[in-house]
Amino acid sequence: MAKKSSSRSKSPRRVSRKAKSVKSLPEHEFEFGGPVGAFATMVALPLVIYFLYFAASSTYKCNLVSIADIREVLMDSFKLDTFFNVNAVLYVLGWLVLCVSMERFLFSEIVEGTKLKNGSTLKYRINGHLQFWVTLLIFTHGYPRFGEDGKFIGLSSFKLSWIYDNYLPMATSAILISIALSIYLYWRSHRKGVLLADGGNTGNRIYDFFIGRELNPRISDFDLKEFCELRPGLIGWLLINLGCAAKQFESDGAVSPSMVLINVFQGLYVWDALYHERAILTTMDITTDGFGYMLAFGDLAWVPFTYSLQARYLVENDPQLSIPVLCVICLLNFTGYAIFRGANSEKDAFRRNPQAPEVAHLETLTTKSGRKLLVSGWWGVARKINYTGDWLMGLAWCLTTGFDCIVTYFYAIYFCILLIHRSLRDNEACEKKYGNDWPAYQAKVPYAFIPGVY
Ligand code: NDP
């Protein structure tokens, strides 16, 4: 839960130094346990990536007792080249350059974002969906090769299993790049006239570095936050999964049903996010949160290197699930997807045009702000039914790994915590936005996630 407290009580030094202007200081609120929590989170998250790597590896085989013997793990595994190699850094940097080039040069639709607090709006290049397909084409069919005379001589294919073999050094590269990006973002957020995020301007350096100061950092019209949110990490996750499938094929001569399912399920999830790219422009990540370590690390390191845990585990530990079990898992995933997509599309359509035929019949509650809230359809079932659908998909992903290893269920456990925390943050934001109308809305739609239960 986001513990909130005033920054004045947490940063006495800051107040005394600026005693003269105390009256004009805004009341800031801390989340994530304030500066101490932010610092602990920054240190802990990269360690979790390494922990998960070893915990689900063939050496430790999800044996939590032996993993707990940290000394043994370090003695066994702490060689620099296990964690780091220059090729991996170049590969990850090359991937980022490729993503930026595609964002810049592929055909794009220009879409306006929501109104910012200074009254302006920003324009975004929407071409993530095209980038998804072009990337798949390049990595599965190869990239063009040219002779010395500049003539096209054929396609060179990527060895996708290389990604699996270099998983840990690539994770380290992504961690280092996300830290470097966070430092750059923090530094540039001190320029004059920058639009700062409300939550990232407390004056506490550690906290602001973590949560993100500048709302929409851009280099010319290149939007760093929107780019990182959807492209390198999300599509990178898909490539890692394909790398795992390629590795399994190389060693077993076949790709197992569980591996096929995890690639299809998570591929669908990534495709969906990019197909609905413009929907991200109204999320709190874009409209409210600054761009700092939290999002930079999350987008570039956390998502690709923890969300691919199941595929990586399956390379060496396929559980050989029976067809009925695989069918149940499919049913769970597609039920989750139907709820997730149905709810998100319904709200998106409603917010864009409440008179649109597919949403015009829905019951609404009109708030004093003039904005309406849906109280029927998906949004009448539960206030965060879209999160429930998302979580069900996550559970289905974990189930593809069978029942021998608790570590591969990390995603379902972590995502449950993330979604509860996120819903509390959103709830507070809505309380501020809608005042007394929000409790009235909660009375009409009493359940948060599961109708009749919670
Ligand atoms: P929501 O899509 O739930 O958006 C919340 C906003 O929706 C509110 O602030 C409010 O804004 C509006 N809203 C809430 N209730 C109603 C209603 N009844 N009628 C109309 N509008 C309403 O949250 P997120 O942006 O957090 O999530 C979007 C999706 O992304 C979710 O499906 C989530 O699961 C997924 N997600 C996935 C993550 C991952 O790592 N895989 C991480 C985070 C999210 P307003 O009224 O101003 O429009």
Side-chain angles (χ1 to χ4, degrees):
M1 193 200 298
K3 279 194 189 158
K4 296 205 160 194
S5 57
S6 159
S7 65
R8 289 190 186 174
S9 57
K10 292 257 178 185
S11 326
R13 248 184 40 194
R14 175 174 172 265
V15 174
S16 60
R17 263 207 230 143
K18 298 192 176 178
K20 282 183 195 158
S21 58
V22 160
K23 271 186 191 157
S24 60
L25 277 174
E27 277 289 334
H28 294 301
E29 287 178 331
F30 286 130
E31 295 178 273
F32 296 95
V36 175
F39 182 75
T41 308
M42 281 193 281
V43 175
L45 291 185
L47 296 178
V48 173
I49 292 182
Y50 293 127
F51 170 80
L52 291 174
Y53 176 85
F54 289 110
S57 70
S58 53
T59 316
Y60 296 99
K61 293 210 169 79
C62 299
N63 179 347
L64 290 176
V65 178
S66 71
I67 293 158
D69 190 349
I70 302 250
R71 202 168 56 100
E72 190 189 321
V73 174
L74 289 178
M75 300 265 284
D76 283 359
S77 317
F78 200 78
K79 297 179 196 93
L80 187 62
D81 57 2
T82 311
F83 288 87
F84 181 85
N85 71 51
V86 176
N87 279 348
V89 178
L90 295 176
Y91 211 93
V92 175
L93 284 174
W95 167 238
L96 285 173
V97 170
L98 182 65
C99 287
V100 174
S101 312
M102 287 201 245
E103 194 272 352
R104 292 286 87 190
F105 301 119
L106 288 180
F107 171 77
S108 65
E109 197 185 335
I110 306 297
V111 168
E112 204 157 83
T114 54
K115 203 177 248 183
L116 302 172
K117 60 183 175 180
N118 65 5
S120 66
T121 48
L122 293 170
K123 289 195 164 65
Y124 293 85
R125 289 173 65 82
I126 303 293
N127 61 9
H129 184 225
L130 184 56
Q131 179 170 346
F132 172 91
W133 289 113
V134 173
T135 305
L136 271 191
L137 205 67
I138 294 175
F139 279 85
T140 53
H141 287 73
Y143 53 93
R145 222 157 19 102
F146 299 94
E148 280 176 10
D149 54 358
K151 273 195 182 152
F152 173 72
I153 51 173
L155 292 173
S156 286
S157 54
F158 285 99
K159 191 170 183 278
L160 280 171
S161 60
W162 187 92
I163 301 175
Y164 175 86
D165 294 333
N166 288 272
Y167 191 92
L168 207 51
M170 287 179 77
T172 303
S173 310
I175 291 168
L176 293 177
I177 290 168
S178 66
I179 293 171
L181 175 63
S182 311
I183 294 170
Y184 166 71
L185 291 167
Y186 185 74
W187 168 76
R188 60 166 277 150
S189 72
H190 288 87
R191 289 167 310 135
K192 252 189 170 172
V194 164
L195 184 61
L196 297 176
D198 288 340
N201 185 24
T202 66
N204 183 294
R205 287 184 189 151
I206 293 175
Y207 182 81
D208 292 348
F209 175 81
F210 170 75
I211 211 94
R213 288 187 91 233
E214 190 174 351
L215 189 59
N216 308 104
R218 289 186 155 208
I219 299 171
S220 180
D221 68 342
F222 179 67
D223 193 282
L224 288 161
K225 186 165 64 168
E226 202 267 347
F227 168 78
C228 288
E229 281 277 290
L230 284 178
R231 292 152 194 257
L234 219 52
I235 305 177
W237 168 25
L238 183 67
L239 292 179
I240 295 173
N241 281 354
L242 287 174
C244 295
K247 184 71 187 179
Q248 196 186 50
F249 187 77
E250 241 176 57
S251 41
D252 300 354
V255 179
S256 71
S258 280
M259 183 65 94
V260 171
L261 288 192
I262 198 71
N263 269 272
V264 170
F265 293 167
Q266 297 188 339
L268 170 69
Y269 192 74
V270 172
W271 169 83
D272 179 274
L274 291 157
Y275 184 75
H276 296 99
E277 183 178 4
R278 63 169 62 201
I280 199 164
L281 303 183
T282 55
T283 62
M284 71 166 106
D285 293 17
I286 297 292
T287 60
T288 316
D289 290 336
F291 195 26
Y293 182 92
M294 179 176 76
L295 289 181
F297 178 84
D299 295 340
L300 302 182
W302 184 260
V303 166
F305 292 98
T306 62
Y307 289 21
S308 56
L309 177 67
Q310 292 90 15
R312 206 171 53 73
Y313 173 82
L314 288 172
V315 172
E316 293 186 355
N317 307 282
D318 195 89
Q320 308 289 327
L321 296 176
S322 65
I323 290 183
V325 173
L326 291 169
C327 289
V328 171
I329 294 173
C330 280
L331 190 68
L332 185 65
N333 184 75
F334 292 117
T335 305
Y337 181 72
I339 298 172
F340 162 86
R341 182 43 41 223
N344 284 326
S345 291
E346 190 173 85
K347 176 163 67 74
D348 205 37
F350 180 73
R351 280 287 176 244
R352 265 195 267 138
N353 175 15
Q355 265 75 54
E358 68 270 31
V359 287
H361 64 285
L362 293 171
E363 201 187 319
T364 58
L365 183 143
T366 306
T367 66
K368 287 179 201 77
S369 69
R371 245 167 125 74
K372 291 181 175 178
L373 290 166
L374 290 166
V375 291
S376 70
W378 282 113
W379 296 84
V381 177
R383 297 190 302 274
K384 284 292 176 193
I385 194 73
N386 54 341
Y387 286 10
T388 309
D390 206 343
W391 187 79
L392 289 177
M393 281 189 278
L395 180 63
W397 305 346
C398 298
L399 286 167
T400 60
T401 61
F403 309 97
D404 290 340
C405 179
I406 180 74
V407 178
T408 56
Y409 284 76
F410 170 79
Y411 181 80
I413 299 163
Y414 141 82
F415 201 46
C416 179
I417 298 167
L418 178 143
L419 291 177
I420 292 172
H421 178 237
R422 200 174 164 95
S423 75
L424 293 171
R425 289 182 80 206
D426 190 49
N427 196 46
E428 284 182 30
C430 288
E431 271 169 4
K432 280 186 197 150
K433 241 186 295 186
Y434 295 114
N436 290 340
D437 293 316
W438 191 249
Y441 163 67
Q442 287 176 308
K444 274 197 169 271
V445 186
Y447 296 104
F449 300 104
I450 310 169
V453 180
Y454 175 70

